[in-house]
């Protein structure tokens, strides 16, 4: 599983949290219907937002339509403009539709025109923070989010947005602090549990992450919210190398929401790991049709390539190169590193790094691109950064192992390639077999211990001269 899959789901909950704060002042009335009747789609979306939960997409569309009609007749309602803009941002993120981001920006700026930030328009400022994150502008997301936090430190909904921004900038200490505050202010909710699971995952606390993900499932109150929670639990199971469990989670999510995009993609990934490749290809096509995220398009292409379906793979790669994507710097970097021009990948990822985008995902992708561009020595510090925060990613370990192998660090390479396959033996239909081949080429470590000259190593003796056996190791390299 690619690491950005979890972060994408969590980011959606960050936008939803901001939508929640805006919706608190807008709880739609039944509009002439008896109170005993079930809530309509607009009401359901409003209630989901109040809980910081994802609304079903049809309900979200109903909420957007309702507020569009309202502001057409009440253009001075700053709160409704903020709610509308934030709802556009959530829909754009969940449908991978940049056009909604333009609509969101226009509505949020209109809200600030009616009621400026200096007069306390926190809803619009929080919406702009969520929109910046959805576009991958983590610095702007942090700036807007910190403004809201400074004005209203007990406003729980700003903390998921700050966590997303800090993650994108690679400031994981700040993300953890924001997570602790979120737990204090909004513990015991499905959204809070899902956020805790994501934070535990980055630290490598897999058991805690899994338990928190199941808490999110148990605390979910609507089918859409439960489907998202089940999909998150499936992602974590897949990362642990448990595709059968992951498949069961995704199946349960799809029973609740038949076209749930993240679960369609997860199901495809799990079936590929289980060797059900024909089914996996069909599921990838359905996932990409439903939710055309760039990382899904790349994974679908790599499965096709692994199966020898080169024309289908090239069609996916061509679609990535010619599409208009947001938050795709890592995916496009990996595309060029593995299937195109590694030097181009390096340039793009270096530019992202210079903008402050220093997440584990960017560090890993830049290190890998540098290796593919023939610069393994320069690549290693980035690979170390990606693997030493705590996140247990099979893909990251594989990348580091190959970098170390290129540098002649056989022991370290063997350790990290083995770690990748222990973490998830089928982490990629294209690269897991290459990890096994690389490990086989390295062979078993030598059995002999280094021989010391007579008297070497005795108390008070000088530094011993070591007679090495097996492949030579460059001076100063870590074992």
């Amino acid at each position: 599983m690619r690491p950005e899959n979890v972060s994408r789901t969590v980011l959606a909950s960050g936008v939803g949290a901001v939508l929640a704060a805006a919706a608190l002042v807008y709880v739609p009335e039944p509009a002439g219907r008896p109170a005993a009747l079930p809530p309509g789609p607009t009401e359901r979306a409003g209630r989901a937002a109040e809980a910081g939960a994802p609304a079903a997409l049809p309900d979200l569309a109903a909420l957007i339509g309702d507020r569009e009609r309202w502001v057409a007749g009440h253009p001075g309602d700053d709160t409704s403009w903020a709610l509308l803009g934030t709802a556009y941002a959530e829909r754009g993120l969940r449908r991978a539709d940049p056009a909604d981001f333009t609509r969101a920006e226009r509505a949020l700026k209109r809200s600030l025109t009616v009621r400026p930030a200096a007069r306390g328009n926190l809803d619009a400022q929080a919406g702009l923070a969520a929109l910046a994150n959805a576009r991958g502008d983590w610095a702007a997301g942090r700036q807007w989010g910190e403004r809201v936090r400074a004005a209203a430190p007990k406003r729980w909904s700003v903390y998921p947005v700050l966590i997303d921004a800090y993650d994108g900038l690679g400031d994981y200490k700040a993300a953890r602090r924001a997570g602790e505050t979120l737990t204090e202010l909004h513990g015991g909710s499905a959204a809070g549990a899902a956020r805790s699971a994501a934070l535990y995952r980055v630290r490598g606390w897999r058991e805690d992450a899994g338990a928190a993900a199941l808490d999110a499932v148990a605390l979910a109150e609507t089918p859409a919210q439960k489907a998202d929670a089940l999909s998150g639990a499936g992602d974590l199971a897949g990362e642990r190398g448990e595709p059968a469990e992951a498949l069961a989670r995704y199946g349960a999510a799809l029973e609740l929401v038949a076209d749930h995009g993240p679960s369609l993609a997860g199901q495809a990934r799990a079936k590929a790991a289980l060797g059900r490749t024909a089914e996996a290809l069909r599921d990838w096509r359905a996932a990409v049709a439903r939710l055309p995220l760039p990382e899904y398009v790349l994974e679908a292409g790599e499965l096709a390539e692994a199966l020898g379906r080169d024309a289908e793979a090239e069609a996916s790669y061509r679609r990535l190169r010619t599409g208009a994507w947001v938050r795709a710097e890592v995916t496009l970097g990996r595309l060029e590193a593995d299937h195109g021009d590694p030097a181009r990948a390096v340039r793009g990822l270096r530019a992202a790094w210079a903008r402050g985008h220093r997440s584990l995902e960017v560090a890993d992708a830049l290190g890998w691109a540098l290796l593919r561009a023939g610069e393994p020595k320069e690549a290693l510090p980035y690979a170390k950064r990606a693997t030493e925060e705590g996140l247990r990613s099979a893909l990251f370990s594989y990348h580091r192992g190959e970098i170390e192998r290129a540098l002649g660090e056989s022991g370290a390479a063997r350790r990290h390639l083995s770690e990748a396959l222990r973490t998830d033996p089928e982490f990629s239909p294209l690269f897991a077999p290459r990890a096994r081949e690389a490990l086989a080429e390295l062979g078993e470590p030598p059995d002999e211990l280094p021989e010391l000259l007579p008297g070497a190593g005795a108390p008070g003796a000088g530094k011993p001269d070591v007679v090495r056996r097996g492949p030579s190791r460059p001076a100063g390299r870590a074992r």
Side-chain angles (χ1 to χ4, degrees):
M1 174 194 173
R2 294 191 180 279
E4 60 266 30
N5 294 322
V6 170
S7 62
R8 176 83 66 162
T9 301
V10 170
L11 178 60
S13 72
V15 181
V18 172
L19 184 60
L24 285 173
V25 296
Y26 165 64
V27 181
E29 296 297 328
R33 293 183 287 109
L37 289 178
T42 305
E43 293 169 75
R44 290 196 300 265
R47 292 179 183 183
E50 287 181 57
L57 278 171
D59 295 349
L60 185 60
L63 177 62
I64 288 172
D66 180 88
R67 289 298 90 187
E68 285 175 334
R69 290 187 293 273
W70 176 263
V71 297
H74 303 81
D77 185 348
D78 62 280
T79 299
S80 286
W81 280 114
L83 175 60
L84 177 59
T86 306
Y88 281 140
E90 180 173 351
R91 188 176 69 175
L93 181 64
R94 291 171 60 189
R95 296 196 315 184
D97 182 2
D100 264 337
F101 297 154
T102 302
R103 298 183 186 101
E105 183 175 4
R106 190 161 51 238
L108 291 163
K109 287 184 175 179
R110 181 65 178 271
S111 177
L112 285 173
T113 299
V114 175
R115 184 185 180 198
R119 289 173 48 200
N121 189 344
L122 297 181
D123 290 340
Q125 293 178 78
L128 286 168
L131 174 60
N133 285 349
R135 286 172 157 168
D137 187 351
W138 310 115
R142 177 183 61 187
Q143 182 180 29
W144 283 112
E146 288 181 346
R147 286 185 185 180
V148 175
R149 180 178 62 185
K154 293 189 180 298
R155 183 183 174 115
W156 72 264
S157 58
V158 74
Y159 290 95
V161 184
L162 283 170
I163 293 168
D164 292 332
Y166 293 142
D167 282 348
L169 295 168
D171 189 350
Y172 293 101
K173 290 183 179 178
R176 286 194 284 271
R177 290 195 297 269
E180 291 166 0
T181 304
L182 175 62
T183 300
E184 294 171 5
L185 297 174
H186 197 60
S189 67
R195 183 63 58 172
S196 294
L199 290 170
Y200 292 147
R201 168 185 172 268
V202 171
R203 301 188 77 170
W205 299 356
R206 298 177 110 181
E207 293 78 8
D208 298 276
L214 294 180
D215 286 344
V217 174
L219 291 165
E221 297 178 358
T222 67
Q225 188 178 9
K226 193 173 285 288
D228 268 21
L230 284 163
S231 182
D235 289 346
L236 290 169
E239 281 192 335
R240 295 193 303 266
E242 299 172 358
E245 180 181 335
L247 189 60
R249 304 289 184 199
Y250 299 131
L254 290 167
E255 288 180 4
L256 294 167
V257 180
D259 61 348
H260 190 253
S263 294
L264 287 170
Q267 182 172 262
R269 197 178 299 114
K271 286 180 179 178
L274 291 167
R276 296 162 58 177
T277 51
E279 295 175 65
L281 275 175
R282 288 196 298 271
D283 286 343
W284 269 126
R285 293 179 191 127
V288 169
R290 170 64 186 81
L291 187 60
L293 297 178
E295 57 265 31
Y296 293 174
V297 177
L298 180 59
E299 286 189 80
E302 289 182 343
L303 175 60
E305 182 178 341
L307 297 175
R309 303 173 70 99
D310 293 342
E312 188 171 346
E314 283 303 319
S316 293
Y317 302 153
R318 186 165 54 251
R319 180 178 180 181
L320 279 172
R321 290 190 177 96
T322 58
W325 309 101
V326 295
R327 294 184 64 245
E329 57 199 9
V330 168
T331 301
L332 295 177
R334 288 177 180 158
L335 169 71
E336 293 300 335
D338 288 314
H339 314 289
D341 181 354
R344 183 178 180 182
V346 170
R347 289 194 298 271
L349 290 163
R350 279 197 189 283
W353 194 265
R355 292 194 302 273
H357 294 195
R358 300 185 177 186
S359 67
L360 302 181
E361 288 77 16
V362 175
D364 167 75
L366 179 51
W368 182 243
L370 284 163
L371 170 70
R372 300 285 289 173
E375 299 291 343
K377 185 175 181 179
E378 194 174 352
L380 187 57
Y382 294 103
K384 287 182 175 180
R385 178 164 180 152
T387 52
E388 291 178 358
E389 171 68 27
L391 176 65
R392 296 177 65 183
S393 164
L395 182 67
F396 290 5
S397 295
Y398 165 67
H399 285 166
R400 179 169 176 176
E402 287 286 37
I403 291 167
E404 289 163 335
R405 189 162 76 105
L407 290 169
E409 299 184 12
S410 301
R414 188 181 293 109
R415 182 167 64 254
H416 287 108
L417 291 169
S418 298
E419 182 179 323
L421 294 169
R422 280 197 308 272
T423 299
D424 182 359
E426 303 298 334
F427 66 90
S428 161
L430 193 59
F431 297 111
R434 296 182 188 180
R436 285 188 280 271
E437 291 171 6
L439 199 55
E441 289 177 11
L442 285 169
E444 295 297 324
D447 293 330
E448 301 90 343
L449 293 174
E451 289 185 0
L452 305 181
L453 295 175
K463 182 181 294 186
D465 294 323
V466 179
V467 179
R468 299 188 184 276
R469 294 190 177 179
S472 61
R473 188 183 305 275
R477 299 294 185 191
R479 294 182 179 273

